[in-house]
C-alpha cells in the first residue's frame, strides 16, 4: 500500500512527527507532500519546510518528501497511492477534513482518505500557534523538534 501524507508543514510540529512515526511503517511507500492550502501565506519557503522535515525525522527507509504545486489528488494518482492520510485533532478539524475528503473522492473515487487521530497530548498544537509563541519568544520545547525551534528563532532575529 502507498500513502500520501499532505500538509503545509509550516513548520512541522511534534504532532505531525507523531503521525509520521506511527503510520509510515504501515505502508510500503510513505510520501510526505508539502502542499499549498488555499490562500495561506507561508512563513517558511517550500524548500525550507522540506529541509526542516528532513532534519526533524530519523531515517525512515520507505519515506519520500515532495513539494506539490497542484492538487494533492493528482499527485496521489501520479504515484499510484492507495490513500491520502490526514491527522485529526479535534472536532473542529472534522468539517474541513470531511469536505476535502469528499472533494478528493469526487475527483478520484479509487483513492481513499484515511483519518488518524492525533495523540491526545498534541491536540492543542498547531503550526500557527507555534509561530505565535515563537514570535513572542515563548518556550517551544515539546512543541517542535530542536531544528525547527532554531529555525523559528533565527527567523525572528
Ligand atoms: N498534530 C498537531 N497539529 C497538526 C496535526 C497533528 N497531527 N496535523 C495537522 N496539524 C495542524 C497543522 O500544524 C496546521 O496548523 P495551522 O493551520 O495552524 O497552520 C493545521 O493543523 C492544518 O494543517 P495541515 O495538516 O498542514 O493542513 P493544511 O490545511 O495546511 O493543508 C493541504 C491542507 C495542503 C493538504 C490541502 O490544502 C491540499 O491538499 N492542498 C493542495 C491543493 C488541493 O488539493 N486542495 C484540496 C482540494 S480538495
Amino acid at each position: 500500500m502507498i500513502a500520501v501524507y499532505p500538509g503545509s508543514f509550516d513548520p512541522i510540529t511534534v504532532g505531525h512527527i507523531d503521525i509520521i512515526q506511527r503510520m509510515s511503517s504501515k505502508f510500503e511507500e510513505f510520501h510526505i507532500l508539502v502542499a499549498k492550502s488555499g490562500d495561506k501565506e507561508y512563513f517558511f519557503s517550500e524548500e525550507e519546510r522540506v529541509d526542516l522535515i528532513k532534519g526533524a525525522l530519523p531515517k525512515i527507509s520507505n519515506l519520500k518528501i515532495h513539494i506539490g504545486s497542484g492538487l494533492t489528488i493528482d499527485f496521489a494518482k501520479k504515484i499510484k497511492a492507495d490513500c491520502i492520510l490526514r491527522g485529526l485533532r479535534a472536532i473542529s478539524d472534522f468539517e474541513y477534513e470531511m469536505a476535502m475528503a469528499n472533494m478528493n473522492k469526487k475527483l478520484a473515487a479509487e483513492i481513499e482518505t484515511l483519518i488518524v487521530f492525533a495523540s491526545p497530548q498534541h491536540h492543542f498544537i498547531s503550526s500557527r500557534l507555534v509561530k505565535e509563541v515563537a514570535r513572542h519568544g515563548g518556550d517551544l520545547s515539546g512543541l517542535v523538534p530542536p531544528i525547527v525551534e532554531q529555525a523559528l528563532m533565527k527567523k525572528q532575529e
Side-chain angles (χ1 to χ4, degrees):
M1 291 258 278
I2 301 176
V4 186
Y5 181 45
S8 298
F9 303 106
D10 186 44
I12 189 166
T13 68
V14 294
H16 297 119
I17 292 171
D18 174 57
I19 300 273
I20 295 163
Q21 290 192 319
R22 283 163 50 204
M23 295 306 293
S24 55
S25 60
K26 314 260 184 255
F27 298 93
E28 278 138 44
E29 291 178 32
F30 192 86
H31 298 262
I32 294 179
L33 182 68
V34 175
K36 184 145 180 46
S37 175
D39 295 330
K40 253 190 191 176
E41 293 285 327
Y42 291 109
F43 189 64
F44 290 103
S45 71
E46 288 163 335
E47 291 74 18
E48 285 173 324
R49 282 179 269 153
V50 168
D51 286 345
L52 291 176
I53 295 170
K54 281 186 184 154
L57 292 174
K59 179 137 186 55
I60 300 174
S61 60
N62 62 340
L63 173 81
K64 285 206 177 102
I65 305 169
H66 313 260
I67 293 175
S69 51
L71 289 173
T72 292
I73 198 73
D74 288 339
F75 175 82
K77 280 199 267 187
K78 194 174 84 187
I79 62 158
K80 299 191 171 19
D82 300 282
C83 64
I84 294 173
L85 178 71
R86 295 284 290 168
L88 198 79
R89 290 164 298 172
I91 195 74
S92 49
D93 289 341
F94 180 79
E95 283 190 28
Y96 173 57
E97 292 302 331
M98 191 172 70
M100 228 166 20
N102 286 336
M103 180 59 80
N104 283 331
K105 193 78 185 161
K106 164 80 179 65
L107 297 172
E110 71 280 12
I111 299 176
E112 298 293 343
T113 294
L114 209 68
I115 300 288
V116 174
F117 285 105
S119 297
Q121 67 270 30
H122 299 139
H123 281 188
F124 67 99
I125 301 175
S126 75
S127 299
R128 184 180 62 81
L129 288 181
V130 160
K131 283 177 284 193
E132 192 161 331
V133 172
R135 201 170 300 124
H136 296 287
D139 181 8
L140 292 168
S141 55
L143 302 174
V144 291
I147 189 172
V148 172
E149 192 172 343
Q150 284 153 20
L152 281 165
M153 290 308 166
K154 204 159 166 217
K155 283 257 184 194
Q156 315 302 324
E157 287 170 10

